[in-house]
Amino acid sequence: MLRRTYTYRLRNFSNFSLDEVINDARQHLASKYGENGYALRKMFFDDPEFKAALKDLQNLTSDEQLFRERFLKVNHLEHTLELEQQLSEYLAPVNPSLRTYVETNILPQYSKNDRAHGILHIREVIRRSFLLDGAFSLNLDSNLIYAIAAYHDLGKHIDSDRHEFISAKLLREDAKVYDYFSPEEVDTIAEAIEDHRSSQSDVPRSTYGKLISSADRNTRVEMVFVHSFFVGKDRQPETTVKDFLDYTFRRLSKRYGEDDPENMFYADDEYRNFLSEIRALLRGEEAFKNRYCEINQISSREHTLAEEPGVEISPVILI
């Protein structure tokens, strides 16, 4: 029950903070399985196992702290909570009105993107942007950092190959943005968004561009493999897993290889540790493929990508 309530909210209310998810899940379970819960009317047999589970759940939902601890543990969210708290601290200097506008009108639009570039990815890029700004003493403007990270993938669902330019255009056409930023600042934000693509070899035009490009880089092998799988599933669903593994191994060997490393402007320990781990995997092709299949819970390499469901994208995977 705790896992189902979490995955449902992850899919349908991904703009919720973790605290909001936990509180909403508790209220839902209390109303559904409480003493007068509507689910009780659908149980037509005297089932001792159900009664025992019901009693356990009712005790849990009646204790806010106990429910919170159990919910975090069952869904493996302890580390995610730490990062949520970190993100909350980073966002403290951001204009509250800007945050409200973005959270209400911009972030919900990420539900249109593929699963690898949804709201969870955006929240992680926001967190990493502020983390790197502090780690490298860049002292950039918090409002500009927030806006760049919040808008940077907004056009992904329209055209993946040119999404950086579409996202910048959507920002420039958003009249509300000019309530918070001067025309010069909007230019800076738009240019940074245009320059954020990790595949782009040119050096970004500003420090803001270098920051968002760096914050947008992967920092976990799980993140890379799940992103890769769902991008493949969306773009080439009829490709077999076997063929896609060959392609992915070649592509990632080129991207993360020691001879031609990707252009990372602000490499912190989190990124360096990730780079070391993925390079170690890339030294053995079969070990790489086995790990890829394990993370994405692939049942057969003979299946097409469309035939494999993949795993639920959650903060546990992406952060």
Side-chain angles (χ1 to χ4, degrees), residues 40-88:
L40 305 187
R41 297 192 294 272
K42 298 182 179 181
M43 188 60 184
F44 304 106
F45 299 95
D46 187 14
D47 179 3
E49 187 176 355
F50 177 74
K51 282 186 174 180
L54 197 63
K55 186 64 176 176
D56 184 27
L57 184 65
Q58 289 172 347
N59 289 337
L60 202 59
T61 55
S62 67
D63 188 321
E64 184 175 350
Q65 185 57 33
L66 189 63
F67 180 88
R68 180 185 180 82
E69 292 172 0
R70 183 84 170 270
F71 192 92
L72 291 170
K73 183 176 181 180
V74 164
N75 290 298
H76 310 292
L77 294 169
E78 295 92 343
H79 181 55
T80 303
L81 179 62
E82 294 175 12
L83 297 181
E84 282 262 341
Q85 292 168 342
Q86 184 185 73
L87 177 59
S88 179

Side-chain angles (χ1 to χ4, degrees), residues 221-262:
V221 168
E222 292 86 351
M223 188 191 306
V224 175
F225 286 0
V226 172
H227 271 198
S228 160
F229 178 79
F230 279 112
V231 169
K233 191 177 174 72
D234 287 337
R235 297 185 186 180
Q236 42 185 304
E238 298 310 312
T239 299
T240 65
V241 171
K242 181 178 180 296
D243 288 342
F244 189 68
L245 285 170
D246 291 339
Y247 162 78
T248 302
F249 182 78
R250 293 193 303 271
R251 183 176 67 83
L252 295 184
S253 293
K254 181 178 180 181
R255 179 171 182 178
Y256 295 113
E258 297 185 30
D259 295 334
D260 186 25
E262 64 177 354

Side-chain angles (χ1 to χ4, degrees), residues 134-188:
F136 289 89
S137 302
L138 302 179
N139 299 314
L140 300 180
D141 185 283
S142 295
N143 292 319
L144 269 71
I145 293 174
Y146 179 67
I148 292 165
Y151 279 82
H152 84 278
D153 273 349
L154 198 58
K156 189 77 174 178
H157 68 281
I158 298 173
D159 185 344
S160 178
D161 292 334
R162 291 183 49 80
H163 77 271
E164 67 271 33
F165 300 108
I166 296 171
S167 299
K169 184 173 183 288
L170 291 171
L171 169 93
R172 290 182 185 278
E173 293 175 349
D174 186 346
K176 190 68 177 176
V177 167
Y178 296 88
D179 290 347
Y180 304 107
F181 301 104
S182 69
E184 293 76 18
E185 289 174 326
V186 172
D187 286 341
T188 299

